Amino acid sequence: MPNRTVQEERLRQRFALYDTDGDGRVERGDLEQEARRIVHAFGESEDSPKAQALLHAYPHMWDHMTKTAGVGAGQGLSLEQFVQIANTQMLDQGRAGFGHMLRPSIRAMVDLCDVDGDGQVSPEEFRKWLGAIGNDRIDADAAFRAMDADRNGKLSVEEIVAAVGEYHNGELDAPLLGV
């Protein structure tokens, strides 16, 4: 059963991560800036196909959230609006909501850090991922093991989407994706 207190705290953390300019609102430009920061942390040129996928996925996620919520183009979201939208579009819809909203950006992140080209994330690639998103303070190996549902030593996009959902539901304690 989801813990609403934990869910709200994790959404607050996500909001703070996305509010790159610290103005108390999340705007499309904040997600664009976060995507650029991640691309640069991976040492990838913004012109590369992998970088372009991420640079388009983050703002696309934003556009979908705001359009579905009825927020006009160019408007930012307050913390309360962000939490409400995340609740209705992701948390209340379970795995399907997280998958629909986050799969494109997670797919782009997997492709960005997938050095060996197998479409999955190895433990080494995952450590690089965590460093790129500024979350190298956690035990990457423990987080990886917690996310590796099929225990094959690789993380698929589906495993990562599920883990992000479980994290935000309070069912997994490994901080993921920069939070």
Side-chain angles (χ1 to χ4, degrees):
M1 170 152 221
N3 180 331
R4 284 292 184 186
T5 303
V6 171
Q7 287 176 336
E8 186 164 325
E9 177 56 30
R10 291 179 178 178
L11 288 174
R12 287 178 183 278
Q13 292 170 350
R14 173 77 52 202
F15 181 88
L17 175 77
Y18 286 161
D19 183 14
T20 57
D21 61 9
D23 69 353
R25 299 188 66 72
V26 174
E27 298 159 329
R28 189 178 202 275
D30 289 320
L31 270 76
E32 291 169 343
Q33 184 175 336
E34 176 65 5
R36 279 192 303 277
R37 187 193 65 72
I38 291 168
V39 165
H40 293 164
F42 273 107
E44 193 75 25
S45 164
E46 286 188 23
D47 296 333
S48 78
K50 288 181 177 185
Q52 282 295 302
L54 188 70
L55 293 171
H56 286 99
Y58 268 51
H60 177 74
M61 175 180 61
W62 172 259
D63 292 344
H64 178 76
M65 282 179 66
T66 56
K67 180 180 177 187
T68 304
V71 175
Q75 292 184 317
L77 296 178
S78 67
L79 172 62
E80 293 75 22
Q81 290 170 310
F82 179 82
V83 168
Q84 191 259 339
I85 290 169
N87 277 327
T88 59
Q89 293 185 26
M90 290 187 289
L91 293 172
D92 293 347
Q93 294 182 31
R95 284 183 188 251
F98 275 94
H100 180 73
M101 187 68 64
L102 298 175
R103 186 173 286 105
S105 59
I106 290 174
R107 170 86 264 164
M109 284 289 290
V110 167
D111 290 345
L112 192 60
C113 75
D114 181 19
V115 176
D116 62 12
D118 67 355
Q120 298 188 54
V121 178
S122 70
E124 282 180 4
E125 292 164 344
F126 185 66
R127 282 190 287 282
K128 184 176 179 182
W129 175 331
L130 291 178
I133 62 172
N135 201 0
D136 52 5
R137 65 191 176 281
I138 70 166
D139 182 345
D141 293 332
F144 186 93
R145 285 189 303 275
M147 295 169 65
D148 186 12
D150 63 9
R151 304 289 182 238
N152 71 347
K154 299 275 186 170
L155 297 177
S156 67
V157 170
E158 294 307 316
E159 285 173 313
I160 297 169
V161 169
V164 171
E166 290 166 6
Y167 172 75
H168 283 287
N169 275 327
E171 301 163 359
L172 180 66
D173 286 327
L176 304 171
L177 304 182
V179 186

Coordinates of all heavy atoms in Angstrom, one line a residue, residues 12-96:
R12 N 8.4 16.2 -3.6 CA 9.0 17.5 -3.3 C 10.5 17.5 -3.7 O 11.0 18.5 -4.2 CB 8.9 17.8 -1.8 CG 7.5 18.1 -1.3 CD 7.5 18.3 0.2 NE 6.1 18.6 0.7 CZ 5.6 19.8 0.6 NH1 6.2 20.8 0.1 NH2 4.3 20.0 1.0
Q13 N 11.1 16.4 -3.4 CA 12.6 16.3 -3.8 C 12.7 16.4 -5.3 O 13.6 17.0 -5.8 CB 13.1 15.0 -3.3 CG 13.3 14.9 -1.8 CD 13.6 13.5 -1.3 OE1 13.6 12.5 -2.1 NE2 13.9 13.4 0.0
R14 N 11.8 15.7 -6.1 CA 11.9 15.7 -7.5 C 11.6 17.2 -8.0 O 12.3 17.6 -8.9 CB 10.8 14.8 -8.1 CG 10.6 14.8 -9.6 CD 11.6 14.2 -10.4 NE 11.8 12.8 -10.0 CZ 12.9 12.1 -10.2 NH1 13.9 12.6 -10.9 NH2 13.0 10.9 -9.8
F15 N 10.6 17.8 -7.4 CA 10.4 19.2 -7.8 C 11.6 20.1 -7.6 O 12.0 20.9 -8.4 CB 9.2 19.8 -6.9 CG 8.8 21.2 -7.2 CD1 7.9 21.5 -8.2 CD2 9.4 22.3 -6.5 CE1 7.6 22.8 -8.5 CE2 9.1 23.6 -6.8 CZ 8.1 23.8 -7.8
A16 N 12.3 19.9 -6.4 CA 13.5 20.7 -6.1 C 14.6 20.4 -7.1 O 15.3 21.3 -7.6 CB 14.0 20.4 -4.7
L17 N 14.7 19.2 -7.6 CA 15.7 18.8 -8.6 C 15.4 19.5 -9.9 O 16.3 20.0 -10.6 CB 15.7 17.3 -8.8 CG 16.6 16.7 -9.9 CD1 18.0 16.8 -9.4 CD2 16.2 15.3 -10.2
Y18 N 14.1 19.5 -10.3 CA 13.7 20.0 -11.6 C 13.7 21.6 -11.5 O 13.9 22.2 -12.6 CB 12.3 19.6 -12.0 CG 12.2 18.2 -12.5 CD1 11.0 17.5 -12.5 CD2 13.3 17.5 -12.9 CE1 10.9 16.2 -12.9 CE2 13.2 16.2 -13.4 CZ 12.0 15.5 -13.4 OH 11.9 14.3 -13.9
D19 N 13.5 22.2 -10.4 CA 13.5 23.7 -10.3 C 15.0 24.2 -10.3 O 15.5 24.6 -9.4 CB 12.8 24.1 -9.0 CG 12.7 25.6 -8.9 OD1 12.9 26.3 -9.9 OD2 12.4 26.0 -7.7
T20 N 15.6 24.1 -11.5 CA 17.0 24.3 -11.7 C 17.4 25.8 -11.4 O 18.5 26.0 -11.0 CB 17.5 23.9 -13.1 OG1 16.7 24.7 -14.0 CG2 17.3 22.4 -13.3
D21 N 16.5 26.7 -11.5 CA 16.8 28.1 -11.2 C 16.4 28.5 -9.8 O 16.6 29.7 -9.4 CB 16.3 29.0 -12.3 CG 14.7 29.0 -12.4 OD1 14.1 28.4 -11.6 OD2 14.2 29.6 -13.4
G22 N 15.8 27.6 -9.1 CA 15.4 27.9 -7.7 C 14.4 28.9 -7.5 O 14.3 29.5 -6.4
D23 N 13.5 29.2 -8.5 CA 12.5 30.2 -8.3 C 11.2 29.7 -7.7 O 10.2 30.5 -7.7 CB 12.2 30.9 -9.7 CG 11.5 30.1 -10.7 OD1 11.4 28.8 -10.4 OD2 11.2 30.6 -11.8
G24 N 11.1 28.5 -7.3 CA 9.9 27.9 -6.7 C 8.8 27.5 -7.7 O 7.7 27.2 -7.3
R25 N 9.2 27.5 -9.0 CA 8.3 27.0 -10.0 C 9.1 26.1 -11.0 O 10.3 26.3 -11.2 CB 7.7 28.1 -10.8 CG 6.9 29.1 -10.0 CD 6.2 30.1 -10.7 NE 5.1 29.6 -11.6 CZ 3.9 29.1 -11.3 NH1 3.7 29.0 -10.0 NH2 3.1 28.7 -12.2
V26 N 8.5 25.1 -11.5 CA 9.2 24.3 -12.5 C 8.6 24.7 -13.9 O 7.3 24.7 -14.0 CB 9.0 22.8 -12.3 CG1 9.5 21.9 -13.4 CG2 9.6 22.4 -11.0
E27 N 9.4 25.0 -14.8 CA 9.0 25.4 -16.1 C 9.7 24.5 -17.1 O 10.7 23.8 -16.8 CB 9.4 26.8 -16.3 CG 8.7 27.8 -15.4 CD 9.4 29.1 -15.2 OE1 10.7 29.1 -15.3 OE2 8.7 30.1 -14.9
R28 N 9.3 24.5 -18.4 CA 9.8 23.7 -19.4 C 11.3 23.9 -19.5 O 12.1 23.0 -19.7 CB 9.2 24.1 -20.8 CG 9.5 23.1 -21.9 CD 8.7 23.5 -23.2 NE 8.6 22.5 -24.1 CZ 9.6 22.2 -25.0 NH1 10.7 22.9 -25.1 NH2 9.4 21.2 -25.9
G29 N 11.8 25.2 -19.4 CA 13.2 25.5 -19.5 C 14.0 24.8 -18.4 O 15.2 24.5 -18.6
D30 N 13.4 24.6 -17.2 CA 14.1 23.9 -16.2 C 14.4 22.5 -16.6 O 15.5 22.0 -16.3 CB 13.3 23.9 -14.9 CG 13.2 25.2 -14.2 OD1 14.2 26.0 -14.2 OD2 12.1 25.5 -13.7
L31 N 13.5 21.8 -17.2 CA 13.7 20.4 -17.7 C 14.7 20.4 -18.8 O 15.5 19.5 -18.9 CB 12.4 19.7 -18.0 CG 11.8 19.0 -16.8 CD1 11.2 19.9 -15.8 CD2 10.9 17.9 -17.2
E32 N 14.6 21.4 -19.7 CA 15.6 21.5 -20.8 C 17.0 21.6 -20.2 O 18.0 21.0 -20.7 CB 15.3 22.7 -21.7 CG 14.0 22.4 -22.5 CD 13.6 23.7 -23.2 OE1 14.0 24.8 -22.9 OE2 12.8 23.5 -24.1
Q33 N 17.2 22.5 -19.2 CA 18.5 22.7 -18.5 C 19.0 21.4 -17.9 O 20.1 21.1 -17.9 CB 18.4 23.9 -17.5 CG 19.7 24.2 -16.9 CD 19.6 25.4 -16.0 OE1 18.7 26.3 -16.2 NE2 20.5 25.5 -15.1
E34 N 18.1 20.7 -17.2 CA 18.5 19.5 -16.5 C 18.9 18.5 -17.5 O 19.9 17.8 -17.3 CB 17.3 18.9 -15.7 CG 17.6 17.6 -15.0 CD 18.6 17.6 -14.0 OE1 19.2 18.7 -13.6 OE2 19.0 16.5 -13.5
A35 N 18.2 18.3 -18.7 CA 18.7 17.4 -19.7 C 20.0 17.8 -20.2 O 20.9 16.9 -20.4 CB 17.6 17.4 -20.8
R36 N 20.3 19.0 -20.5 CA 21.6 19.5 -21.0 C 22.7 19.2 -20.0 O 23.8 18.7 -20.3 CB 21.6 21.0 -21.3 CG 21.0 21.3 -22.6 CD 21.3 22.8 -23.1 NE 20.8 23.7 -22.1 CZ 19.5 24.2 -22.0 NH1 18.6 23.7 -22.9 NH2 19.2 25.1 -21.1
R37 N 22.4 19.4 -18.7 CA 23.4 19.1 -17.6 C 23.7 17.6 -17.6 O 24.9 17.2 -17.6 CB 22.8 19.5 -16.3 CG 23.9 19.4 -15.1 CD 23.2 19.5 -13.8 NE 22.3 18.4 -13.5 CZ 22.7 17.1 -13.2 NH1 24.0 16.8 -13.2 NH2 21.8 16.2 -12.9
I38 N 22.8 16.8 -17.8 CA 23.0 15.3 -17.8 C 23.8 14.9 -19.1 O 24.8 14.2 -19.0 CB 21.7 14.5 -17.8 CG1 21.0 14.7 -16.4 CG2 21.9 13.0 -18.1 CD1 19.6 14.2 -16.3
V39 N 23.5 15.5 -20.2 CA 24.2 15.2 -21.4 C 25.7 15.6 -21.3 O 26.6 14.8 -21.6 CB 23.6 15.9 -22.6 CG1 24.5 15.9 -23.8 CG2 22.2 15.3 -23.0
H40 N 25.9 16.8 -20.7 CA 27.3 17.2 -20.5 C 28.0 16.4 -19.5 O 29.2 16.1 -19.7 CB 27.3 18.7 -20.1 CG 26.8 19.6 -21.2 ND1 26.5 20.9 -21.0 CD2 26.6 19.4 -22.5 CE1 26.1 21.5 -22.1 NE2 26.2 20.6 -23.1
A41 N 27.3 15.9 -18.5 CA 27.9 15.1 -17.5 C 28.4 13.7 -18.1 O 29.4 13.1 -17.6 CB 27.0 14.8 -16.3
F42 N 27.7 13.3 -19.1 CA 28.1 12.1 -19.8 C 29.2 12.3 -20.8 O 29.7 11.4 -21.4 CB 26.9 11.4 -20.5 CG 26.1 10.5 -19.7 CD1 24.8 10.8 -19.2 CD2 26.6 9.2 -19.3 CE1 24.1 10.0 -18.4 CE2 25.8 8.4 -18.5 CZ 24.6 8.7 -18.1
G43 N 29.5 13.6 -21.0 CA 30.6 13.9 -21.9 C 30.1 13.8 -23.4 O 30.9 13.7 -24.3
E44 N 28.8 13.8 -23.6 CA 28.2 13.7 -24.9 C 28.0 15.0 -25.6 O 27.7 16.0 -24.9 CB 26.9 12.9 -24.8 CG 26.3 12.4 -26.0 CD 27.0 11.1 -26.5 OE1 27.6 10.4 -25.7 OE2 26.9 10.9 -27.7
S45 N 28.2 15.1 -26.9 CA 27.9 16.3 -27.6 C 26.4 16.5 -27.7 O 25.7 15.5 -28.0 CB 28.6 16.2 -29.0 OG 28.0 17.2 -29.9
E46 N 25.9 17.7 -27.6 CA 24.5 17.9 -27.7 C 24.0 17.5 -29.1 O 22.8 17.3 -29.2 CB 24.1 19.4 -27.4 CG 24.2 19.7 -25.9 CD 23.7 21.0 -25.5 OE1 22.9 21.6 -26.3 OE2 24.1 21.6 -24.5
D47 N 24.8 17.5 -30.1 CA 24.4 17.2 -31.4 C 24.3 15.7 -31.7 O 23.7 15.3 -32.7 CB 25.4 17.7 -32.4 CG 25.4 19.3 -32.4 OD1 24.4 19.9 -32.0 OD2 26.4 19.8 -32.7
S48 N 24.8 14.8 -30.8 CA 24.7 13.4 -31.0 C 23.3 12.9 -31.0 O 22.5 13.4 -30.3 CB 25.6 12.6 -30.0 OG 24.9 12.5 -28.8
P49 N 23.0 11.8 -31.7 CA 21.6 11.2 -31.6 C 21.2 10.8 -30.2 O 20.1 11.0 -29.8 CB 21.7 10.0 -32.5 CG 22.8 10.3 -33.5 CD 23.8 11.1 -32.7
K50 N 22.2 10.3 -29.4 CA 21.8 9.9 -28.0 C 21.5 11.1 -27.2 O 20.5 11.1 -26.4 CB 23.0 9.2 -27.4 CG 23.2 7.8 -27.9 CD 24.4 7.1 -27.2 CE 24.6 5.7 -27.6 NZ 25.6 5.0 -26.8
A51 N 22.2 12.2 -27.3 CA 22.0 13.4 -26.6 C 20.7 14.0 -27.0 O 19.8 14.5 -26.2 CB 23.1 14.4 -26.8
Q52 N 20.4 14.0 -28.3 CA 19.2 14.6 -28.9 C 18.0 13.9 -28.3 O 16.9 14.5 -28.0 CB 19.2 14.6 -30.4 CG 20.1 15.7 -31.0 CD 19.5 17.1 -30.7 OE1 18.4 17.4 -31.0 NE2 20.3 17.9 -30.0
A53 N 18.1 12.6 -28.2 CA 16.9 11.8 -27.6 C 16.6 12.3 -26.2 O 15.4 12.5 -25.9 CB 17.3 10.3 -27.7
L54 N 17.6 12.5 -25.4 CA 17.3 13.0 -24.0 C 16.9 14.4 -24.0 O 16.0 14.8 -23.3 CB 18.6 12.8 -23.1 CG 18.3 13.1 -21.7 CD1 17.4 12.0 -21.1 CD2 19.6 13.2 -20.9
L55 N 17.5 15.2 -24.8 CA 17.2 16.6 -24.9 C 15.7 16.9 -25.4 O 15.1 17.9 -25.1 CB 18.1 17.4 -25.8 CG 19.6 17.5 -25.3 CD1 20.5 18.1 -26.3 CD2 19.6 18.3 -24.0
H56 N 15.2 15.9 -26.1 CA 13.8 16.0 -26.5 C 12.9 15.3 -25.6 O 11.7 15.7 -25.4 CB 13.6 15.4 -27.9 CG 14.1 16.3 -29.0 ND1 15.4 16.1 -29.6 CD2 13.6 17.4 -29.6 CE1 15.6 17.0 -30.5 NE2 14.5 17.8 -30.5
A57 N 13.3 14.2 -24.9 CA 12.5 13.5 -24.0 C 12.0 14.3 -22.8 O 10.9 14.2 -22.4 CB 13.2 12.2 -23.6
Y58 N 13.0 15.0 -22.2 CA 12.6 15.7 -20.9 C 11.5 16.8 -21.2 O 10.5 16.8 -20.5 CB 13.9 16.3 -20.3 CG 14.5 15.5 -19.3 CD1 14.8 14.1 -19.5 CD2 14.8 16.0 -18.0 CE1 15.4 13.4 -18.6 CE2 15.5 15.2 -17.1 CZ 15.7 13.9 -17.3 OH 16.3 13.1 -16.4
P59 N 11.7 17.7 -22.2 CA 10.7 18.7 -22.5 C 9.4 18.0 -23.0 O 8.3 18.5 -22.7 CB 11.3 19.6 -23.6 CG 12.7 19.3 -23.6 CD 12.9 17.9 -23.0
H60 N 9.5 16.9 -23.7 CA 8.3 16.2 -24.1 C 7.5 15.7 -22.9 O 6.2 15.8 -22.9 CB 8.6 15.0 -25.1 CG 7.4 14.3 -25.5 ND1 6.5 14.7 -26.4 CD2 7.0 13.0 -25.1 CE1 5.6 13.9 -26.6 NE2 5.8 12.8 -25.8
M61 N 8.2 15.2 -21.9 CA 7.5 14.7 -20.7 C 6.8 15.9 -20.1 O 5.6 15.8 -19.6 CB 8.5 14.1 -19.7 CG 8.0 13.8 -18.4 SD 9.2 13.1 -17.2 CE 10.4 14.4 -17.1
W62 N 7.5 17.1 -20.0 CA 6.9 18.3 -19.4 C 5.6 18.7 -20.2 O 4.6 19.0 -19.6 CB 7.9 19.4 -19.5 CG 7.3 20.7 -19.1 CD1 7.0 21.7 -19.9 CD2 7.0 21.1 -17.7 NE1 6.5 22.8 -19.2 CE2 6.5 22.4 -17.8 CE3 7.1 20.5 -16.5 CZ2 6.1 23.1 -16.7 CZ3 6.7 21.2 -15.4 CH2 6.2 22.5 -15.5
D63 N 5.7 18.7 -21.5 CA 4.6 19.1 -22.4 C 3.4 18.2 -22.2 O 2.3 18.7 -22.1 CB 5.0 19.1 -23.9 CG 6.0 20.2 -24.2 OD1 6.2 21.2 -23.4 OD2 6.7 20.1 -25.3
H64 N 3.7 16.9 -22.1 CA 2.6 16.0 -21.8 C 1.9 16.2 -20.5 O 0.7 16.3 -20.4 CB 3.1 14.6 -21.9 CG 2.0 13.6 -21.7 ND1 1.0 13.3 -22.6 CD2 1.7 12.8 -20.6 CE1 0.2 12.4 -22.1 NE2 0.6 12.1 -20.8
M65 N 2.7 16.4 -19.4 CA 2.2 16.7 -18.1 C 1.3 17.9 -18.1 O 0.2 17.9 -17.6 CB 3.3 16.8 -17.1 CG 4.0 15.6 -16.6 SD 5.3 15.9 -15.4 CE 4.4 16.6 -14.1
T66 N 1.8 19.0 -18.6 CA 1.1 20.3 -18.5 C -0.1 20.3 -19.4 O -1.2 20.8 -19.0 CB 2.0 21.5 -18.9 OG1 2.6 21.3 -20.1 CG2 3.1 21.6 -17.8
K67 N 0.0 19.7 -20.6 CA -1.2 19.6 -21.5 C -2.3 18.8 -20.9 O -3.5 19.2 -20.8 CB -0.8 19.0 -22.8 CG -1.9 18.9 -23.8 CD -1.5 18.3 -25.1 CE -2.7 18.2 -26.0 NZ -2.4 17.4 -27.3
T68 N -2.0 17.7 -20.3 CA -3.0 16.8 -19.7 C -3.6 17.5 -18.5 O -4.8 17.4 -18.2 CB -2.3 15.5 -19.2 OG1 -1.7 14.9 -20.4 CG2 -3.3 14.5 -18.6
A69 N -2.8 18.3 -17.8 CA -3.3 19.1 -16.6 C -4.0 20.3 -17.0 O -4.6 21.0 -16.1 CB -2.1 19.4 -15.7
G70 N -4.0 20.7 -18.3 CA -4.7 21.9 -18.7 C -3.9 23.2 -18.4 O -4.5 24.3 -18.3
V71 N -2.6 23.1 -18.2 CA -1.7 24.2 -17.9 C -1.3 24.8 -19.3 O -0.8 24.0 -20.2 CB -0.5 23.8 -17.1 CG1 0.4 25.0 -16.9 CG2 -1.0 23.3 -15.7
G72 N -1.4 26.1 -19.5 CA -1.0 26.7 -20.8 C 0.5 26.6 -21.1 O 1.3 26.5 -20.2
A73 N 0.8 26.6 -22.4 CA 2.1 26.6 -22.8 C 2.9 27.8 -22.2 O 2.3 28.9 -22.2 CB 2.2 26.7 -24.3
G74 N 4.1 27.6 -21.8 CA 4.9 28.7 -21.2 C 4.6 29.0 -19.7 O 5.3 29.8 -19.1
Q75 N 3.7 28.3 -19.1 CA 3.4 28.5 -17.7 C 4.2 27.5 -16.9 O 4.5 26.4 -17.3 CB 1.9 28.3 -17.4 CG 1.0 29.4 -17.9 CD -0.4 29.2 -17.5 OE1 -0.9 28.0 -17.5 NE2 -1.1 30.2 -17.1
G76 N 4.6 27.9 -15.7 CA 5.3 27.1 -14.8 C 4.3 26.4 -13.8 O 3.2 26.8 -13.8
L77 N 4.8 25.5 -13.1 CA 4.1 24.8 -12.0 C 4.6 25.1 -10.7 O 5.8 25.1 -10.4 CB 4.1 23.3 -12.2 CG 3.5 22.7 -13.5 CD1 3.7 21.2 -13.5 CD2 2.0 23.1 -13.6
S78 N 3.7 25.4 -9.7 CA 4.1 25.5 -8.3 C 4.3 24.1 -7.8 O 3.9 23.1 -8.4 CB 3.0 26.2 -7.5 OG 1.8 25.4 -7.5
L79 N 4.8 24.0 -6.6 CA 5.0 22.7 -6.0 C 3.7 22.0 -5.8 O 3.6 20.8 -6.2 CB 5.7 22.9 -4.6 CG 5.8 21.6 -3.7 CD1 6.6 20.5 -4.4 CD2 6.3 21.9 -2.4
E80 N 2.7 22.7 -5.4 CA 1.4 22.1 -5.2 C 0.8 21.6 -6.5 O 0.2 20.5 -6.6 CB 0.4 23.1 -4.6 CG 0.8 23.5 -3.2 CD 1.9 24.5 -3.1 OE1 2.3 25.2 -4.0 OE2 2.6 24.5 -2.0
Q81 N 0.9 22.3 -7.6 CA 0.4 21.9 -8.9 C 1.2 20.7 -9.4 O 0.7 19.7 -9.9 CB 0.6 23.0 -9.9 CG -0.4 24.1 -9.7 CD -0.1 25.3 -10.6 OE1 1.1 25.7 -10.7 NE2 -1.1 25.8 -11.4
F82 N 2.6 20.7 -9.2 CA 3.4 19.6 -9.6 C 3.0 18.3 -8.9 O 2.9 17.3 -9.5 CB 4.9 19.9 -9.3 CG 5.8 18.9 -9.7 CD1 6.3 18.7 -11.0 CD2 6.3 18.0 -8.7 CE1 7.2 17.7 -11.4 CE2 7.2 17.0 -9.1 CZ 7.7 16.9 -10.4
V83 N 2.8 18.4 -7.6 CA 2.4 17.2 -6.8 C 1.1 16.7 -7.2 O 0.9 15.5 -7.4 CB 2.4 17.6 -5.3 CG1 1.8 16.4 -4.4 CG2 3.9 17.8 -4.8
Q84 N 0.1 17.6 -7.5 CA -1.2 17.2 -7.9 C -1.1 16.5 -9.2 O -1.7 15.4 -9.4 CB -2.1 18.4 -7.9 CG -3.6 18.0 -8.1 CD -4.1 18.2 -9.5 OE1 -3.5 19.0 -10.3 NE2 -5.1 17.5 -9.8
I85 N -0.4 17.1 -10.2 CA -0.3 16.5 -11.5 C 0.4 15.1 -11.4 O 0.0 14.1 -12.0 CB 0.4 17.4 -12.5 CG1 -0.4 18.6 -12.8 CG2 0.9 16.7 -13.8 CD1 0.3 19.7 -13.5
A86 N 1.5 15.0 -10.7 CA 2.2 13.8 -10.5 C 1.3 12.7 -9.9 O 1.3 11.5 -10.3 CB 3.5 14.0 -9.7
N87 N 0.5 13.1 -8.9 CA -0.4 12.2 -8.3 C -1.4 11.6 -9.3 O -1.6 10.4 -9.4 CB -1.1 12.8 -7.1 CG -0.3 12.8 -5.8 OD1 0.4 11.9 -5.6 ND2 -0.5 13.9 -5.0
T88 N -2.0 12.5 -10.0 CA -3.1 12.1 -10.9 C -2.6 11.4 -12.2 O -3.2 10.4 -12.7 CB -4.0 13.2 -11.4 OG1 -3.2 14.2 -12.0 CG2 -4.7 13.8 -10.2
Q89 N -1.4 11.8 -12.7 CA -0.9 11.2 -13.9 C 0.0 10.0 -13.7 O 0.3 9.3 -14.7 CB -0.2 12.3 -14.8 CG -1.2 13.3 -15.3 CD -0.6 14.3 -16.2 OE1 0.4 14.1 -16.8 NE2 -1.1 15.5 -16.2
M90 N 0.6 9.9 -12.5 CA 1.5 8.8 -12.3 C 1.2 7.9 -11.1 O 0.8 6.8 -11.3 CB 3.0 9.3 -12.2 CG 3.5 9.8 -13.5 SD 5.3 10.3 -13.4 CE 5.2 11.7 -12.4
L91 N 1.2 8.5 -10.0 CA 1.0 7.7 -8.7 C -0.3 7.0 -8.7 O -0.4 5.8 -8.4 CB 1.2 8.6 -7.5 CG 2.6 9.1 -7.3 CD1 2.7 10.1 -6.2 CD2 3.6 8.0 -7.0
D92 N -1.4 7.7 -9.0 CA -2.7 7.1 -8.9 C -2.9 6.1 -10.0 O -3.8 5.2 -9.9 CB -3.8 8.2 -9.0 CG -3.8 9.1 -7.8 OD1 -3.2 8.8 -6.8 OD2 -4.5 10.2 -7.9
Q93 N -2.1 6.1 -11.1 CA -2.3 5.1 -12.2 C -1.3 4.0 -12.1 O -1.3 3.1 -12.9 CB -2.1 5.9 -13.5 CG -3.2 6.9 -13.8 CD -3.0 7.5 -15.1 OE1 -2.5 6.9 -16.0 NE2 -3.5 8.8 -15.2
G94 N -0.5 3.9 -11.0 CA 0.4 2.8 -10.8 C 1.5 2.7 -11.9 O 1.9 3.7 -12.5
R95 N 1.9 1.5 -12.2 CA 2.9 1.2 -13.2 C 2.6 1.8 -14.5 O 3.5 2.3 -15.2 CB 3.2 -0.3 -13.3 CG 3.9 -0.9 -12.2 CD 4.2 -2.4 -12.4 NE 4.8 -3.0 -11.2 CZ 6.0 -3.4 -11.1 NH1 6.8 -3.3 -12.2 NH2 6.5 -3.9 -10.0
A96 N 1.3 1.7 -14.9 CA 1.0 2.2 -16.2 C 1.2 3.7 -16.3 O 1.7 4.2 -17.3 CB -0.5 1.9 -16.5

